[in-house]
């Protein structure tokens, strides 16, 4: 009778573990990468694989965000360079855009005009 109780308990633990793993995997699929999750042990192959998958997805998300920021910034600067502008107007527009892109309060550009910084 004790063996059956042990088997039932082990089966219940397995069932609960599968439910927790499935819920965590569903949350990852929904983009909820900050959900708390603890594998059963260091040898929990499925649980540790799920954690690795989340880590990889977080790294991919961060890389994509950096790439998108870079692409958007390049487009903004490229648009500024189009058309005819005086060097002063172009410089001012570039400074304003670079300050916004880099999230800085103040910027300046110096030009060398006949050995005199302007």
């Amino acid at each position: 009778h004790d063996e059956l109780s042990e088997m039932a308990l082990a089966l219940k633990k397995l069932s609960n573990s599968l439910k927790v793993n499935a819920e965590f995997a569903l949350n990852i699929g929904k983009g909820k990468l900050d959900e708390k999750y603890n594998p059963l042990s260091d040898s929990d192959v499925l649980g540790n694989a799920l954690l690795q998958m989340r880590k990889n997805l977080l790294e991919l998300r961060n890389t994509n965000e950096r790439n998108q920021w870079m692409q958007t910034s390049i487009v903004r600067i490229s648009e500024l360079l189009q058309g005819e502008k005086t060097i002063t107007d172009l410089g001012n527009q570039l400074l304003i855009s670079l300050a916004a892109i880099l999230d800085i309060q103040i910027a300046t550009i110096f030009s060398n005009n006949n050995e005199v910084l302007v």
Side-chain angles (χ1 to χ4, degrees):
H1 191 68
D2 284 337
E3 291 174 1
L4 287 177
S5 298
E6 288 179 27
M7 286 177 58
L9 183 60
L11 187 58
K12 185 175 182 177
K13 281 179 74 174
L14 176 62
S15 176
N16 287 337
S17 173
L18 290 174
K19 285 178 186 176
V20 168
N21 287 341
E23 184 177 331
F24 183 65
L26 286 171
N27 283 328
I28 288 174
K30 293 176 184 175
K32 297 179 182 177
L33 302 179
D34 57 350
E35 294 292 314
K36 193 157 178 83
Y37 176 80
N38 294 315
L40 294 175
S41 68
D42 289 341
S43 60
D44 180 1
V45 176
L46 178 59
N48 288 306
L50 288 170
L51 287 176
Q52 185 62 45
M53 181 174 63
R54 176 176 64 183
K55 179 183 175 205
N56 293 343
L57 287 170
L58 282 168
E59 289 172 2
L60 182 62
R61 176 192 282 174
N62 291 336
T63 299
N64 286 341
E65 287 173 357
R66 281 192 308 272
N67 289 343
Q68 185 168 356
W69 176 85
M70 183 68 75
Q71 290 172 352
T72 302
S73 300
I74 289 170
V75 167
R76 286 174 72 178
I77 297 300
S78 295
E79 289 172 350
L80 284 177
L81 297 175
Q82 296 175 2
E84 290 187 33
K85 298 177 176 101
T86 66
I87 193 73
T88 302
D89 288 342
L90 179 60
N92 286 335
Q93 290 175 2
L94 281 172
L95 281 177
I96 290 167
S97 288
L98 286 173
I101 289 168
L102 299 173
D103 195 25
I104 57 176
Q105 299 297 314
I106 190 166
T108 188
I109 294 178
F110 292 98
S111 68
N112 188 340
N113 190 5
N114 294 330
E115 303 298 320
V116 176
L117 286 178
V118 183

